[in-house]
Amino acid sequence: MMKLRSSPPSPFGRKVKLALSILGLKGKVEIEDANTADPSDSLRSQNPLGKIPALVLENGDVLYDSSVILEYLDFLAGGGKLFPEGEARFPVLRDQTLADGIMDAAILRVYEKRFKEPKYRDPAWDAYQAAKMDRGLKHFEDNTPPVPATAADANAGSLTLACALGYLDIRFAGEWRQTHPKLVAWLDAFEAAVPAFTDTKVPPAPVPDNAPALLQ
């Protein structure tokens, strides 16, 4: 059986878990928590970057990051499901990349508070990352992707966007909802069409400044 190294709050890990459910591969992968802050965790030998998620294949090979893992899972499921064929593939790849970027910026903001004492934090750095998130959200607000009719219609772009918005709900108290009504409606419709999104949800909770990196 394949093994997914991740942590429950990780939006990138959630992205892979959501893909597993959508593609009918959930029963073929064991989920195993990883602690990115622990030097003794085998994650660092599985992925030299020590980042999650990492997918350990049955033959021992390891795939990372989440986008590569999604490509592999789509291949296992027969192809053309999360990533359309032909020219339609590229808008999906673009949306996935932009949503990944929103999650990257959000995690960097979380880490700024988690790993630095208040006197060492850089407001300009936080504002720089926040601006990336704002621009990304504005793009999706102005160019809201189609809502999948069923879970089988979800693609890599839409499921990554859903995970990005879900992460902002967890770590930033859903502040994005106040200024992005189209995205709020889109996420509600996505969750109704893709039940696995609800199944992979973790409750919002404040993160102490000294929380371990496991709690991404």
Side-chain angles (χ1 to χ4, degrees):
M1 179 176 286
M2 294 182 288
K3 181 183 297 182
L4 177 66
R5 304 300 312 284
S6 186
S7 70
S10 168
F12 294 103
R14 185 182 189 184
K15 171 181 169 182
V16 175
K17 294 170 190 174
L18 192 54
L20 287 170
S21 291
I22 290 170
L23 296 172
L25 298 173
K26 187 175 179 180
K28 297 182 179 297
V29 178
E30 176 188 356
I31 309 298
E32 182 178 283
D33 283 349
N35 188 341
T36 59
D38 183 0
S40 66
D41 193 304
S42 59
L43 175 69
R44 297 189 181 192
S45 62
Q46 294 162 341
N47 177 356
L49 300 176
K51 299 176 68 174
I52 55 175
L55 182 67
V56 183
L57 306 184
E58 292 180 347
N59 65 2
D61 287 346
V62 185
L63 297 179
Y64 40 82
D65 59 4
S66 62
S67 298
V68 174
I69 295 172
L70 256 61
E71 291 266 12
Y72 181 71
L73 296 178
D74 193 63
F75 162 75
L76 289 182
K81 300 181 185 303
L82 297 182
F83 301 92
E85 297 179 355
E87 191 171 352
R89 174 184 176 85
F90 298 99
V92 170
L93 291 175
R94 177 202 60 208
D95 287 353
Q96 177 184 221
T97 298
L98 181 55
D100 277 342
I102 292 172
M103 295 191 292
D104 279 331
I107 288 175
L108 287 174
R109 294 184 69 195
V110 170
Y111 281 4
E112 177 76 5
K113 292 182 178 180
R114 185 181 306 171
F115 293 117
K116 291 185 179 180
E117 297 179 17
K119 63 181 178 181
Y120 295 122
R121 294 172 190 166
D122 186 352
W125 170 256
D126 183 73
Y128 176 62
Q129 301 302 333
K132 293 181 185 179
M133 293 165 55
D134 290 343
R135 292 193 301 269
L137 290 170
K138 184 180 187 305
H139 171 85
F140 281 123
E141 177 74 7
D142 295 340
N143 304 273
T144 310
V147 176
T150 67
D153 299 311
N155 60 44
S158 61
L159 72 85
T160 306
L161 174 58
C163 291
L165 298 176
Y167 186 71
L168 299 186
D169 279 340
I170 294 170
R171 293 294 184 241
F172 295 87
E175 295 172 357
W176 67 274
R177 293 175 174 270
Q178 301 173 19
T179 50
H180 301 87
K182 291 181 181 178
L183 277 180
V184 171
W186 180 89
L187 186 61
D188 288 344
F190 181 93
E191 188 163 9
V194 186
F197 186 70
T198 302
D199 297 339
T200 56
K201 186 180 295 186
V202 296
V207 180
D209 290 349
N210 61 349
L214 173 63
L215 301 175
Q216 288 188 24

